[in-house]
Amino acid sequence: MPLGGRRPQLVLATFALTPNWVVPLDRLVDNLWGAAPPASARTQIRICVSQLRRALADAGAPPVIETHPNGYRLRVGHGELDAALFNEEVSHARLRAASGAIAEAVGALRRALARWTGPAMAGLDCPALESWARRLEESRLRAVEERVRLELALGRHEDLVGELVELVSTHPFREHLHGLLMHALHRSGRTVEALDVYRALRAHLVEELGLEPGKELRALEQDILNGACPTV
């Protein structure tokens, strides 16, 4: 739904990151203006909250933004926040995987990841929210890695190569993704390409960061060179 511009979006994002907790007015001012807020900052925050309440009401939503003496609270019930549902589904998937129900775990992870429609808080240029956005993105990537690892265990290596090529291109320093791609290629009979992935990553790490690949990836390369079929 249209929220009326960047500031109401930032206010709503701040509320949604700490649902059911009172967000102090001063924190909202800091998130929107940093160290140099205008004299009218608190008034502008109240206007933003009014815009949000009106947008929610126009969309048929119940009143969920509460006013408190020192700030506001977004009242969220169970099943109403995608980020919370995502975490629940990932936790459920891990329990299913631990019990040996790999296919069910994959299904749960796919449902969890389907809740994402793009990067967290995309378009909101706000330093105060960057750490939250990075944390959410890390949770998403870990879920992707877990799903791929489980699908490799189910023997779907050939189907995963294309997705993994795209993922390592998007995240060129993420060694775990490179390792999963090496597994998928090696198990697909493309051992030379699997080793090429390692060599390209190593060259990139040395050139950009002055670092060697980690112990786990080095061991994987050695296993592949020795003709072993390493477990994921």
Side-chain angles (χ1 to χ4, degrees), residues 19-176:
N20 298 315
W21 288 83
V22 174
V23 178
L25 198 56
D26 288 343
R27 185 188 304 168
L28 293 168
V29 171
D30 288 343
N31 284 4
L32 266 66
W33 291 284
S40 61
R42 288 172 173 258
T43 299
Q44 291 191 51
I45 292 291
R46 295 186 182 97
I47 292 171
C48 287
V49 172
S50 295
Q51 286 178 292
L52 285 172
R53 284 173 167 156
R54 185 163 56 250
L56 289 165
D58 290 345
V64 292
I65 301 176
E66 300 174 347
T67 301
H68 288 261
N70 65 330
Y72 299 94
R73 181 172 82 112
L74 180 67
R75 191 176 69 253
V76 176
H78 182 263
E80 293 181 335
L81 193 67
D82 276 340
L85 288 171
F86 168 80
N87 289 331
E88 288 180 16
E89 287 163 338
V90 170
S91 296
H92 173 70
R94 288 170 179 160
L95 289 173
R96 300 310 297 150
S99 69
I102 305 301
E104 291 181 28
V106 168
L109 286 168
R110 284 191 173 277
R111 288 191 297 275
L113 290 163
R115 296 189 178 278
W116 289 77
T117 57
M121 290 171 279
L124 297 181
D125 182 17
C126 175
L129 300 184
E130 284 179 2
S131 62
W132 288 94
R134 286 195 299 269
R135 191 181 310 173
L136 288 166
E137 176 64 7
E138 176 62 24
S139 296
R140 186 189 72 83
L141 282 173
R142 286 184 61 194
V144 170
E145 290 171 344
E146 289 182 53
R147 176 188 61 77
V148 170
R149 179 180 62 80
L150 293 173
E151 292 203 64
L152 284 171
L154 292 174
R156 300 172 183 171
H157 34 269
E158 292 183 354
D159 296 333
L160 292 165
V161 170
E163 178 185 0
L164 283 166
V165 167
E166 183 176 348
L167 283 167
V168 299
S169 175
T170 306
H171 305 281
F173 293 108
R174 200 167 181 93
E175 292 191 25
H176 195 186

